[in-house]
Amino acid sequence: MGIRRSVLPGLLAALWWAASGPQLEAGAFQVVPVYVYLEAGNPRATLTVSNTGEEELTVQLQAMRWSQDEQGRDRLEPTTDLVFFPRLVKIGVGQERIVRLGLDKPQPAETETAYRLFIRELPVAKPGETVLRVAIEISLPVFLSVPKPRPQAAISGAQLRQGSALLQVLNTGNTHLLLKKIRVIGRGQDDREEFVQEAMGWYVLPGIERSFAVALPQDSCQRCRSLLVSIESEEGSLERTIEVDPAQCIPPPTESRTRP
């Protein structure tokens, strides 16, 4: 995936990928791997940052402790637990550098611990250049594994409301849950398929319940008798059926703005 530079000042593109591919590309650099698992007995790993652009590249690294609140929203806090070297990396055109990371004094735990490692490009303006550069930032998940992983998830709630299928996913295990895809299939008379809507998922950390919403086509929704909602994760899939109230297929009215 390539990111173009822009003339907009002060813009920071923060890319939070839940990638499943072997490498992550942002603008003029690539990172391998796209996520890191640290073993409690040997919490060490390496990353490879490659310069795929046409100019010398400088990137800066920062580690954050990653958690989620009661609504499943991501929270990031500075941490010194995750150590890495170097913190500032200069990479020539077509070259690559190794970043070493690990945990300082890891403590045994029954629940997986999560971090985010941010890698941010530091754009350098050339003399006489009038185009302002964009800082590209990517965020890699880093997990401290547990001796006895126990992945477990459930769909704790599902309903149709104001034109969207609303889904609550509860992670009752001791490791993270990565929802790759959320799918809603509308079924009408004689179980005929009326539509299929899909949305990207996200991480649900241990002990967290997170809500997801999938907007539905109103006309097709009102022809349905039921909705089959499914989630696809690394551990498998879960399904839930929702009975359709046609009145709930109507999205909320949009606010109209009038010019003064």
Side-chain angles (χ1 to χ4, degrees):
M1 178 182 298
I3 306 296
R4 295 181 58 188
R5 297 185 184 275
S6 169
V7 296
L8 296 177
L11 178 62
L12 176 63
L15 307 176
W16 285 56
W17 275 289
S20 57
Q23 66 185 23
L24 190 61
E25 181 176 352
F29 65 98
Q30 294 178 344
V31 181
V32 181
V34 297
Y35 44 77
V36 177
Y37 289 94
L38 300 175
E39 300 294 336
N42 183 29
R44 301 289 183 268
T46 59
L47 299 173
T48 301
V49 184
S50 304
N51 183 352
T52 59
E54 300 177 353
E55 302 175 358
E56 183 181 64
L57 173 71
T58 301
V59 295
Q60 187 176 41
L61 286 76
Q62 181 184 17
M64 304 287 281
R65 177 69 180 268
W66 178 25
S67 62
Q68 292 176 334
D69 63 18
E70 294 180 353
Q71 285 73 44
R73 294 173 298 199
D74 292 308
R75 298 178 59 183
L76 297 170
E77 299 175 324
T79 182
T80 57
D81 295 345
L82 187 64
V83 294
F84 49 90
F85 179 84
R87 293 178 177 270
L88 192 68
V89 185
K90 289 187 177 182
I91 312 172
V93 177
Q95 297 182 352
E96 61 184 34
R97 290 287 301 274
I98 300 297
V99 176
R100 292 175 171 81
L101 66 154
L103 285 179
D104 184 26
K105 300 178 181 179
Q107 299 296 323
E110 296 182 358
T111 301
E112 180 184 74
T113 306
Y115 302 90
R116 282 274 171 179
L117 182 64
F118 288 85
I119 305 176
R120 181 183 183 186
E121 177 188 7
L122 299 181
V124 179
K126 296 180 180 180
E129 187 177 44
T130 58
V131 176
L132 297 179
R133 303 288 185 111
V134 174
I136 302 298
E137 182 179 83
I138 64 175
S139 169
L140 301 182
V142 180
F143 301 104
L144 177 60
S145 302
V146 291
K148 297 181 180 180
R150 182 176 48 83
Q152 189 171 350
I155 297 177
S156 54
Q159 61 178 311
L160 172 63
R161 189 172 66 193
Q162 293 188 321
S164 293
L166 306 180
L167 185 69
Q168 287 79 44
V169 179
L170 176 62
N171 184 352
T172 57
N174 64 351
T175 61
H176 71 275
L177 174 69
L178 174 56
L179 302 186
K180 297 181 177 180
K181 184 185 298 183
I182 302 171
R183 174 179 294 176
V184 181
I185 301 176
R187 299 196 181 279
Q189 297 292 335
D190 301 323
D191 207 32
R192 181 178 59 191
E193 186 176 294
E194 294 287 346
F195 68 87
V196 178
Q197 289 286 99
E198 293 184 346
M200 297 297 294
W202 186 239
Y203 289 94
V204 184
L205 298 183
I208 297 298
E209 183 180 55
R210 188 181 180 102
S211 298
F212 298 89
V214 182
L216 307 179
Q218 178 180 335
D219 292 343
S220 299
C221 176
Q222 290 179 320
R223 293 195 299 268
C224 293
R225 301 180 63 181
S226 65
L227 305 175
L228 178 62
V229 182
S230 63
I231 60 172
E232 178 184 335
S233 73
E234 295 174 312
E235 307 301 331
S237 60
L238 295 171
E239 294 183 347
R240 177 71 69 88
T241 299
I242 304 173
E243 298 300 320
V244 172
D245 175 1
Q248 291 298 330
C249 293
I250 303 174
T254 57
E255 295 183 1
S256 60
R257 295 183 178 180
T258 58
R259 294 184 178 181

